[in-house]
Amino acid sequence: MEAFLGIIIGVLVTLGIVTFVKSFKKKSLVNSQSTILIDKIKKVCKFITVEGDFAEIYHYEDVKERFLKLITSKKKALVVINAKAHVGYDLSKIEIKAENDNKKIVLEHFPQPEVLSIETNLNYYDKKDGYFNKFEATDLTGLHNEAKRHIQEKIPESGLIEIAQKEALDTILLIETIVETIGWQLDYSALKIEDETPKKLN
């Protein structure tokens, strides 16, 4: 009888150990899956950037007065601005968490689009110095900064914001497909992508 009880106890202990090991392995696998999914999501999100080309004409004029305002000296230039602007997302602001027990990836926050960079190339035409008012290096630097501000003001009406938002939505659907391929779910019910003007470059 004791031998029989010993066998039963041994079997129960073995089953308990096997169950614990399987549960531990399953938990480890789920944790590993969530880590892999989050890494994949971050890689996919790197592609959410749109590019726009701009060509603008900018008239520059500066007038200085001399000798008790009796004499004025004017310098002017016609500036052709060719620029490339990138509108996208600051990926460090994406908030993702994994609910391992439910096999769910929760996308809690997606940042608003912002201007990531503006590259400008300026060509000067009809550039004329005034007799007492000549172009200097500081003027050209100022013109370059003014050109960036000019392009910045054109971005909201260019459609780049809307394109970036559409790219974000398409990417979220792609993320959902990736998550579902291994039996997980993507919860983006808390996500809100608003129609806002992108942040300006500092």
Side-chain angles (χ1 to χ4, degrees):
M1 185 68 176
E2 292 180 357
F4 181 70
L5 286 174
I7 292 171
I8 292 175
I9 292 170
V11 170
L12 291 175
V13 170
T14 302
L15 286 173
I17 292 172
V18 170
T19 302
F20 175 77
V21 170
K22 285 184 177 180
S23 175
F24 179 78
K25 286 184 176 179
K26 183 178 180 181
K27 185 176 180 180
S28 178
L29 175 61
V30 169
N31 289 338
S32 177
Q33 284 179 335
S34 65
T35 301
I36 290 170
L37 282 174
I38 290 174
D39 286 342
K40 283 186 177 181
I41 288 169
K42 288 180 178 178
K43 288 179 182 178
V44 168
C45 289
K46 288 182 180 179
F47 296 101
I48 309 176
T49 303
V50 296
E51 182 180 279
D53 293 312
F54 295 82
E56 298 285 334
I57 297 175
Y58 182 75
H59 295 271
Y60 173 80
E61 188 174 289
D62 179 79
V63 179
K64 286 187 178 179
E65 298 175 333
R66 289 288 190 273
F67 306 110
L68 301 176
K69 299 183 180 180
L70 296 175
I71 299 176
T72 59
S73 183
K74 180 170 66 176
K75 60 185 174 186
K76 64 177 183 177
L78 183 66
V79 185
V80 176
I81 307 168
N82 291 297
K84 192 179 295 292
H86 294 92
V87 176
Y89 296 84
D90 183 351
L91 303 180
S92 66
K93 298 177 182 177
I94 294 176
E95 295 177 10
I96 307 172
K97 73 175 183 180
E99 294 182 357
N100 295 334
D101 294 339
N102 301 323
K103 283 194 172 184
K104 184 184 293 184
I105 297 293
V106 182
L107 190 56
E108 295 183 324
H109 172 72
F110 206 90
Q112 293 302 312
E114 56 188 279
V115 179
L116 301 176
S117 67
I118 297 177
E119 302 167 7
T120 55
N121 179 37
L122 275 58
N123 294 308
Y124 300 92
Y125 298 93
D126 194 26
K127 182 180 172 184
K128 293 180 181 179
D129 288 316
Y131 189 76
F132 298 109
N133 191 11
K134 299 183 182 299
F135 275 97
E136 298 177 359
T138 53
D139 295 317
L140 300 181
T141 301
L143 269 172
H144 187 79
N145 293 333
E146 188 63 32
K148 280 195 172 184
R149 285 192 292 270
H150 183 70
I151 296 301
Q152 179 90 50
E153 293 171 356
K154 295 290 182 180
I155 289 176
E157 61 190 56
S158 68
L160 289 178
I161 303 167
E162 291 78 8
I163 296 172
Q165 289 171 335
K166 184 179 182 301
E167 289 290 330
L169 291 172
D170 289 345
T171 301
I172 290 166
L173 296 177
L174 177 58
I175 291 170
E176 185 176 35
T177 302
I178 292 172
V179 170
E180 289 176 348
T181 56
I182 61 170
W184 283 58
Q185 290 181 319
L186 178 68
D187 182 356
Y188 53 94
S189 58
L191 184 62
K192 186 177 181 182
I193 300 179
E194 300 173 353
D195 184 8
E196 292 185 358
T197 302
K199 295 179 181 179
K200 293 185 178 182
L201 291 169
N202 295 326

